[in-house]
């Protein structure tokens, strides 16, 4: 009987070990992944994205209502999301509340600043400014290095 | 009797650990006439038969998720130490904007110089490829710049897949997931 049970256990383990299958399930990314503050390289006429963090240092709640940059024809805050039918998409975010001392994270796969129809090439090593527009704090400059 | 059962079960154990993954789809009978980033003609998958293919699906006006997919392809290539028997491919589902020269610029922005094939081409051929690979895409929102230029974005599948040397799809992954490169490398090392 012991041998039979051992055999069944052995086979069960083998199926667990070897049946990862051909399709991987989505894995949630860690919320603690550090943000690499940067803007992606891209060619003139193309699209780039900026990643950084913004912390509300005011004693009161604030709201991010927009973003601008002189290097792109259109600059917006976008959010990457999964559609109901399982596709990946982006949508514009126009009002982002920020509580006192709260940090808003702009990162790959989440909130990010989109720079569309770039006026010039963005090459690694370049430095670029984007400006967040907030209701209370006003215009806040964020200077970023271009890198992959 | 018990020993016989155990002996019979052992081969099952080994069979369950075989190196031949299930075939998800056979693309061997298909042929898509496409262009690479240098505007050279590519018959996909015929021209790549005899090699493993690690393939992602992107559009260059998507700097977020699609850049993660591209970065994952690069990471897989690096972690496999630039293998000669594996081809790395990124195919666009936005052929109107993603011309060969646009794809070339996109590759350059990632530091990709060689060992990668970016695919575009006539819309009919590109979308036939996407149907065959079960990659969905759909124009979502449109934007207009101050000088009147129209921009649009695309909702799309998030996929990297692996084809074996017979152009059969044997693995599919969530293309932008950060864990994907290590899984692909493990899977390829197991079957190569």
């Amino acid at each position: 009987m012991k041998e039979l049970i051992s055999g069944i256990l052995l086979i069960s383990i083998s199926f667990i070990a070897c049946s990862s299958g051909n399709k991987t399930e989505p894995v949630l990314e860690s919320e603690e992944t550090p943000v690499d503050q940067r803007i992606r390289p891209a060619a003139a006429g193309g699209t780039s994205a900026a990643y950084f963090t913004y912390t509300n240092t005011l004693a009161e709640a604030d709201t991010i209502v927009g973003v601008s940059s002189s290097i792109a024809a259109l600059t917006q805050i976008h959010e990457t999301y999964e559609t109901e039918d399982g596709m990946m998409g982006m949508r514009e975010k126009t009002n982002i509340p920020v509580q006192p001392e709260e940090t808003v994270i702009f990162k790959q796969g989440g909130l990010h600043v989109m720079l569309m129809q770039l006026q010039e090439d963005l090459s690694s090593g370049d430095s670029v400014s984007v400006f967040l527009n907030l209701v209370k704090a006003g215009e806040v400059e964020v200077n970023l290095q271009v890198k992959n | 009797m018990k020993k016989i059962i155990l002996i019979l079960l052992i081969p099952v154990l080994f069979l369950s650990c075989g190196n031949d993954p299930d075939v998800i789809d056979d693309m061997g009978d298909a042929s898509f006439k496409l262009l690479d980033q240098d505007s050279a003609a590519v018959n996909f998958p015929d021209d790549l038969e005899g090699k493993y293919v690690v393939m992602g699906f992107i559009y260059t006006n998507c700097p977020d998720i699609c850049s993660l997919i591209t970065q994952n392809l690069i990471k897989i290539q690096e972690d496999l130490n630039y293998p000669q028997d594996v081809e790395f491919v990124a195919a666009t589902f936005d052929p109107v904007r993603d011309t060969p020269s646009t794809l070339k610029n996109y590759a350059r922005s990632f530091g990709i110089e060689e060992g990668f094939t970016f695919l575009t081409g006539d819309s009919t051929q590109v979308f036939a490829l996407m149907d065959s690979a079960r990659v969905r895409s759909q124009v979502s929102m449109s934007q207009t710049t101050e000088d009147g230029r129209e921009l649009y974005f695309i909702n799309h599948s998030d996929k990297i897949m692996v084809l074996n040397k017979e152009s059969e799809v044997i693995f599919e992954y969530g293309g932008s997931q950060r864990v994907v490169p290590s899984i692909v490398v493990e899977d390829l090392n197991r079957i190569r």
Side-chain angles (χ1 to χ4, degrees), chain A residues 75-133:
Chain A
T75 306
Q76 294 178 335
I77 295 170
H78 281 198
E79 176 186 50
T80 294
Y81 73 107
E82 186 172 350
T83 65
E84 286 180 1
D85 54 356
M87 291 196 282
M88 300 307 294
M90 287 183 294
R91 57 190 168 204
E92 187 182 3
K93 293 283 282 184
T94 51
N95 285 286
I96 302 165
V98 201
Q99 298 305 312
E101 297 184 23
E102 183 186 354
T103 297
V104 178
I105 301 172
F106 296 86
K107 64 173 186 177
Q108 269 191 302
L111 275 183
H112 56 278
V113 170
M114 286 277 287
L115 300 108
M116 296 160 271
Q117 293 281 349
L118 291 167
Q119 319 279 22
E120 57 193 76
D121 289 347
L122 294 183
S123 304
S124 291
D126 291 350
S127 181
V128 170
S129 287
V130 298
F131 297 88
L132 287 177
N133 301 306

Side-chain angles (χ1 to χ4, degrees), chain B residues 109-147:
Chain B
S109 73
F110 281 88
I112 297 169
E113 297 295 338
E114 56 185 34
F116 249 84
T117 302
F118 286 84
L119 292 177
T120 185
D122 173 79
S123 291
T124 306
Q125 291 289 307
V126 167
F127 288 115
L129 167 63
M130 295 304 154
D131 285 345
S132 178
R134 287 170 290 109
V135 170
R136 294 178 297 148
S137 61
Q138 184 176 42
V139 173
S140 54
M141 62 175 176
S142 296
Q143 303 280 343
T144 306
T145 60
E146 284 181 4
D147 57 1

Side-chain angles (χ1 to χ4, degrees), chain B residues 23-39:
Chain B
V23 172
I24 296 170
D25 203 0
D26 184 0
M27 296 184 78
D29 293 333
S31 183
F32 306 99
K33 297 186 187 315
L34 303 165
L35 296 171
D36 70 11
Q37 67 269 34
D38 294 314
S39 298

Side-chain angles (χ1 to χ4, degrees), chain A residues 1-4 6-8 10-11 14-15 17-29 33 38 40-49 51 73-74 76 78 80-81 83 85-92 107-110 112 114 116-117 119 122 124 148, chain B residues 2-3 5-6 9-10 12-13 16-17 21-24 59-65 67-68 71 105-106 108-111 134 136-138 140-141 143-147 149-151 153-158 169-174 176-180 183 187 190:
Chain A
M1 186 61 184
K2 275 183 184 173
E3 288 149 334
L4 186 59
S6 299
I8 291 168
L10 198 59
I11 288 170
S14 75
F15 276 108
C18 301
S19 65
S20 60
N22 297 26
K23 297 185 181 183
T24 56
E25 295 297 323
V27 177
L28 292 175
E29 305 292 353
T33 303
R38 66 196 167 106
R40 298 195 59 78
T47 306
S48 182
Y51 306 106
L74 192 62
Q76 294 178 335
H78 281 198
T80 294
Y81 73 107
T83 65
D85 54 356
M87 291 196 282
M88 300 307 294
M90 287 183 294
R91 57 190 168 204
E92 187 182 3
K107 64 173 186 177
Q108 269 191 302
H112 56 278
M114 286 277 287
M116 296 160 271
Q117 293 281 349
Q119 319 279 22
L122 294 183
S124 291
N148 260 318
Chain B
K2 291 166 191 167
K3 283 185 179 171
I5 292 171
L6 188 56
L9 287 175
I10 287 172
V12 176
L13 166 75
S16 70
C17 280
D22 295 338
V23 172
I24 296 170
Y59 75 111
T60 66
N61 276 274
C62 164
D64 196 54
I65 282 293
S67 69
L68 282 168
Q71 285 170 340
N105 284 333
Y106 180 79
R108 197 172 289 133
S109 73
F110 281 88
R134 287 170 290 109
R136 294 178 297 148
S137 61
Q138 184 176 42
S140 54
M141 62 175 176
Q143 303 280 343
T144 306
T145 60
E146 284 181 4
D147 57 1
R149 282 177 284 182
E150 286 285 332
L151 299 172
F153 300 94
I154 299 172
N155 290 346
H156 57 88
S157 302
D158 178 18
V169 180
I170 51 171
F171 296 114
E172 290 182 335
Y173 314 85
S176 66
Q177 299 289 319
R178 289 182 200 277
V179 295
V180 160
I183 298 171
D187 284 341
R190 183 161 49 86

